[in-house]
Amino acid sequence: MTALLIIVAAIILLVIGYITYGNWLVKQWGIDPSRETPAITQEDGVDYVAAPPAVLMGHHFSSIAGAGPINGPIQASVFGWLPVFLWCVLGGIFFGGVHDFGSLFASVRHGGRSVGEVIGDSMGTRTKKLFTIFALLVLILVIASFVNVVAGTFFTAPDAGVSGITTDPNGNQTTSMISILFIVLAIIYGILTNKVGLKTGPATIVGIIGIIAAIAIGMNVGVAIGRTTWIFIIGIYIAIASLIPVWIMLQPRDYLSSFLLYAMMGVAVIGIIFSAFAGTTEFQLPMVTGWKTGVGTMFPALFITVACGACSGFHSLVSTGTSSKQLDNEAHAKPIGYGSMLIESALGIISLIAVGMVFNKYTAGEFGSPAAAFAGGIALMFGGEATGIYRTIYSLLTLAVSVFALTSLDTGTRLGRFMFSELFLNDGEASFRDATGIRRILANPIFGTAFMVIIGCTLGGLSLSQIWGLFGAANQLLAGIALMAVAAWLGDIGKNNKMFFFPMAFMLVATLTSLCMTIINKFKGLAAGTLEGPMWGHYFQIVFAIAMVVLAVILIIEGLGTFRKQAANKAAGKNVEKA
């Protein structure tokens, strides 16, 4: 019954937060349904394409979810269920939801441009460039992390061994085949809705039938390829997906993928209810385990490790990079920005409950990854490991996790393309065609895409534990800076921005503390000779962490200066409405 009470309490609190706090934010910021969005005024058929709310919700939710709300809460579960529960729920309502909703709204009011442009509006061009560099470093970690996750859930054959199609697939081979079929299905859906003229409703029915067919095929025919080969294939795929128009791949793929996510969450809730009354498995996770665990002390480790389940800087990049270019009405910013974050918090709670069902095995190292523990915990609610239903649910949930990691890869690479180009464009230059000299080459979308993909996929060869620890801190630090950016802009136009200050300060302090601890511990490990694994990986983490801290401190100083100026202007009555 503990698991059932946890999920019921979480859903009630998140719904109350969405209705009350969400509506208050709408009023405070002045959301205007009558105002045309960039998707309408700047429509170009490639990046700026207005999407029906359900389609955009699918894209946004699938992109921000990825593997984050599964990996994070499961890794943080070693602190006990109560700390993770409180951070997912309260963090989602007052931190992550404000961050995502505010970023989306700010970008819409800036022509669908990135957080860097929002910063440039209130803090200047130099600060914009520094933030863009910071965000690109985070996106490299995003690509590396999710390349690692996807390749890990796809590969089965040794790189030098026999590979190809198999008619007796295991879980990974099934997952890879279904993921490939998903890509084909997305292209078909995009053509049907954008070129043939099929409405969203009938096309969705076709899409769901296609999903069922893809799963049926994948359960009987799989793909056996080595891990390194998969990384190479994934790199080519995300490069192409980031360059083609969003209606061909991004919108339809993420929309169709979202049905898997909703189904996954539905299956999990049914399993929790069934387990509570049938007693199929026992919730093993203690309420609180202690202040210090294997992942570190509760502060700052808990708030860094949970990541996307409560607050994530990557969400601000999605909100301002792709979603703001597809939003057809400002009124939809709340359900898509704020609502998606709270649904992700609910997924974080489901992940927490899932690992609670297999916690003893998880801490004993019997699962190869948090995703495996997630699938195993939910599948166990329906029956023992030897049953057919366990194996079926386990395979489908593993598939869902890999599909969402792949959607985050698609979006993350496209975001990297946008921001890499922005880095080399001067004020007033709309695209690489307006630039001159070497900047024209560097700002070219193909160059930026190749740069991000090559570095991200190369780093994807590192172990996930090496990447994820650094990604968590960098990602949360990005959230703190994005909160600062939106708060500065709102203050600049005379809107209430006080709801940003505490989340901003907390995220900045927690993440800078974590990064400094990482740097110190790495240096100690190097001096003592106790670090394991490839040494270049440890040196990379040290350099990356130091770069993050330096950039963040500079941005914070700039932000504090902006807030001081705004306070002085307000006292003098000089604030002017500009948005």
Side-chain angles (χ1 to χ4, degrees), residues 554-577:
I554 295 173
L555 288 168
I556 290 169
I557 292 172
E558 294 285 347
L560 292 176
T562 299
F563 290 134
R564 282 196 296 269
K565 290 178 182 177
Q566 289 176 354
N569 287 338
K570 185 176 182 180
K574 295 181 181 179
N575 275 33
V576 179
E577 181 76 31

Side-chain angles (χ1 to χ4, degrees), residues 4 28 219 244 296 345 395 444 455 467 519 528:
L4 181 60
Q28 293 298 307
M219 297 295 286
I244 60 178
S345 293
S395 297
N444 190 295
I455 294 182
I467 303 172
I519 295 168

Side-chain angles (χ1 to χ4, degrees), residues 10 13-18 21-22 25 29 64 83-102 303 306-312 315 334 337-349 476 483 499 503 507:
L13 291 173
L14 291 171
V15 169
I16 291 174
Y18 177 79
Y21 199 59
L25 294 175
W29 299 342
I64 66 171
V84 179
F85 172 88
L86 292 175
W87 179 229
C88 280
V89 173
L90 299 180
I93 294 172
F94 297 107
F95 287 65
V98 173
H99 168 273
D100 293 15
F101 185 15
F303 307 97
V306 170
C308 304
C311 186
S312 167
H315 295 190
K334 178 195 168 188
Y338 196 70
S340 291
M341 179 61 242
L342 299 194
I343 296 174
E344 189 167 355
S345 293
L347 178 56
I349 297 297
Q476 304 306 77
L483 286 164
M499 70 288 292
M507 297 307 299

Side-chain angles (χ1 to χ4, degrees), residues 206-280:
V206 173
I208 292 174
I209 294 172
I211 292 173
I212 295 171
I215 292 173
I217 294 171
M219 297 295 286
N220 294 280
V221 180
V223 180
I225 298 178
R227 184 176 183 275
T228 303
T229 307
W230 268 122
I231 290 177
F232 182 75
I233 293 172
I234 292 166
I236 293 175
Y237 162 72
I238 61 177
I240 294 172
S242 74
L243 291 167
I244 60 178
V246 291
W247 64 263
I248 295 177
M249 180 68 70
L250 195 73
Q251 282 182 355
R253 175 180 159 70
D254 292 355
Y255 175 57
L256 295 175
S257 296
S258 69
F259 285 98
L260 267 183
L261 182 51
Y262 302 143
M264 178 182 75
M265 295 179 69
V267 167
V269 171
I270 292 171
I272 293 169
I273 296 172
F274 180 75
S275 176
F277 292 100
T280 52

Side-chain angles (χ1 to χ4, degrees), residues 17 19 25 42 48 57 160 192-193 206 230 261 266 328 462 485 518 579:
I19 294 172
L25 294 175
Q42 299 172 225
Y48 288 84
M57 183 77 168
L192 287 176
T193 54
V206 173
W230 268 122
L261 182 51
D328 67 345
L462 287 170
T518 296

Side-chain angles (χ1 to χ4, degrees), residues 134-183:
F134 183 92
L136 283 170
L137 292 176
V138 175
L139 282 171
I140 287 172
L141 287 180
V142 169
I143 294 171
S145 296
F146 291 129
V147 161
N148 196 306
V149 170
V150 174
T153 55
F154 279 7
F155 90 99
T156 48
D159 287 301
V162 178
S163 62
I165 302 297
T166 175
T167 55
D168 184 24
N170 61 25
N172 283 21
Q173 293 163 351
T174 288
T175 298
S176 58
M177 174 58 81
I178 296 175
S179 296
I180 292 172
L181 294 174
F182 241 93
I183 294 171

Side-chain angles (χ1 to χ4, degrees), residues 6 11 39 125 139 223 241 359 362 418-419 431 484 519 521:
I6 289 173
I11 291 173
T125 301
L139 282 171
V223 180
F359 189 66
Y362 173 71
F418 291 150
M419 302 199 77
S431 75
M484 181 178 69
I519 295 168
N521 291 335

